Amino acid sequence: MKCLIITKKQLMLAICIIVAATILVVGSATISADQNRLLPIYCVETDKKQVAISFDAAWGNDDTQTLIDILKEYDVTATFFVVGAWVDKYPESVKALSDAGHQIQNHSNTHPHMPQLSKTQMIDEIESCNKKIEAITGKCPTLLRPPYGDYDNALIEVMNELKMSTIQWDVDSLDWKENATPDSIFKRVTSKVKNGSIVLFHNDADHTPAALPNILKCLKDEGYEFVFISDLIIKENYEIKHDGTQCKIENRN
């Protein structure tokens, strides 16, 4: 009977081959998963100096009117993503925002982690909030910002079925953090904004009202035009890059 003798060198070579094969398989799986992953819109590729200011409204309401006043002073319109439960509590603020010329969009009905819901529950969250907003503003939302920025393929697919767009952000003011200050918010936003950026604020963060005027003045001085997210995004013939940048697909002949 013959015995197979494996030298140390042969053993190390075999291990290297196995490791390399494993990396190749795992790498291929990762690439495949990334290619199949559906993405929301984080920002838009554009040559125009345009930026979209947005606010999420889910809990408090102390500063909403102050924000309306600041935005009016600087002649800036913004997109407000509101939760249906917030609409129930503060319908007068929803009307005030709409009357001031701002867009009201969907932030879900009860602020859940959407990927944890069934398709039926997702649709109910979105449509319930849409109906509440439309009842006050007369306009049905066309955009959703998922609570917590949490999404998956199932949510994007539902949004596509509802003919709505899923929106994230590429500039986070981090105004909600305990250690945030007007200066830190200002520096963070103004240093990161670029053409086609979507900026995230919150309507009830402690220092946003103090930071906002200087941010708006700075961006205006730099030549930025403030637009609604619905006007910033591309409606057809587009693709979304791996980093969430929406860009137009040029005709390829």
Side-chain angles (χ1 to χ4, degrees), residues 114-166:
M114 299 293 275
Q116 297 178 7
L117 306 182
S118 67
K119 178 178 178 179
T120 300
Q121 290 172 321
M122 285 183 184
I123 292 173
D124 182 64
E125 280 285 332
I126 297 164
E127 291 188 337
S128 294
C129 184
N130 276 354
K131 290 175 183 177
K132 292 177 181 181
I133 293 171
E134 187 173 17
I136 295 174
T137 68
K139 299 176 182 177
C140 187
T142 59
L143 310 177
L144 168 76
R145 173 169 285 157
Y148 312 103
D150 195 7
Y151 67 91
D152 61 3
N153 279 13
L155 175 60
I156 306 294
E157 289 167 353
V158 164
M159 291 297 293
N160 290 340
E161 289 180 19
L162 296 175
K163 300 189 184 308
M164 295 176 66
S165 298
T166 311

Side-chain angles (χ1 to χ4, degrees), residues 65-220:
Q65 186 57 52
T66 301
L67 295 175
I68 292 174
D69 295 340
I70 293 171
L71 292 167
K72 180 180 180 181
E73 179 182 352
Y74 287 88
D75 193 26
V76 171
T77 49
T79 305
F80 283 77
F81 291 91
V82 302
V83 171
W86 191 86
V87 176
D88 292 336
K89 291 178 68 174
Y90 308 111
E92 72 287 348
S93 290
V94 177
K95 187 175 188 305
L97 286 166
S98 180
D99 289 347
H102 304 293
Q103 271 198 0
I104 315 298
Q105 300 287 357
N106 195 315
H107 196 34
S108 81
N109 192 46
T110 63
H111 208 268
H113 286 276
M114 299 293 275
Q116 297 178 7
L117 306 182
S118 67
K119 178 178 178 179
T120 300
Q121 290 172 321
M122 285 183 184
I123 292 173
D124 182 64
E125 280 285 332
I126 297 164
E127 291 188 337
S128 294
C129 184
N130 276 354
K131 290 175 183 177
K132 292 177 181 181
I133 293 171
E134 187 173 17
I136 295 174
T137 68
K139 299 176 182 177
C140 187
T142 59
L143 310 177
L144 168 76
R145 173 169 285 157
Y148 312 103
D150 195 7
Y151 67 91
D152 61 3
N153 279 13
L155 175 60
I156 306 294
E157 289 167 353
V158 164
M159 291 297 293
N160 290 340
E161 289 180 19
L162 296 175
K163 300 189 184 308
M164 295 176 66
S165 298
T166 311
I167 304 297
Q168 296 281 73
W169 59 87
D170 68 315
V171 180
D172 190 344
S173 67
L174 297 181
D175 56 355
W176 53 271
K177 282 198 165 187
E178 289 186 6
N179 62 349
T181 65
D183 189 53
S184 71
I185 296 169
F186 170 83
K187 288 179 178 177
R188 182 173 181 84
V189 172
T190 56
S191 67
K192 292 181 179 297
V193 162
K194 63 181 186 299
N195 292 3
S197 279
I198 297 173
V199 187
L200 169 64
F201 293 102
H202 295 82
N203 76 306
D204 63 339
D206 290 340
H207 301 293
T208 302
L212 190 59
N214 287 335
I215 291 172
L216 299 180
K217 183 179 184 304
C218 177
L219 295 181
K220 279 203 162 190

Side-chain angles (χ1 to χ4, degrees), residues 1-7 10:
M1 181 178 178
K2 294 183 178 180
C3 295
L4 178 61
I5 300 176
I6 300 177
T7 66
Q10 289 172 325

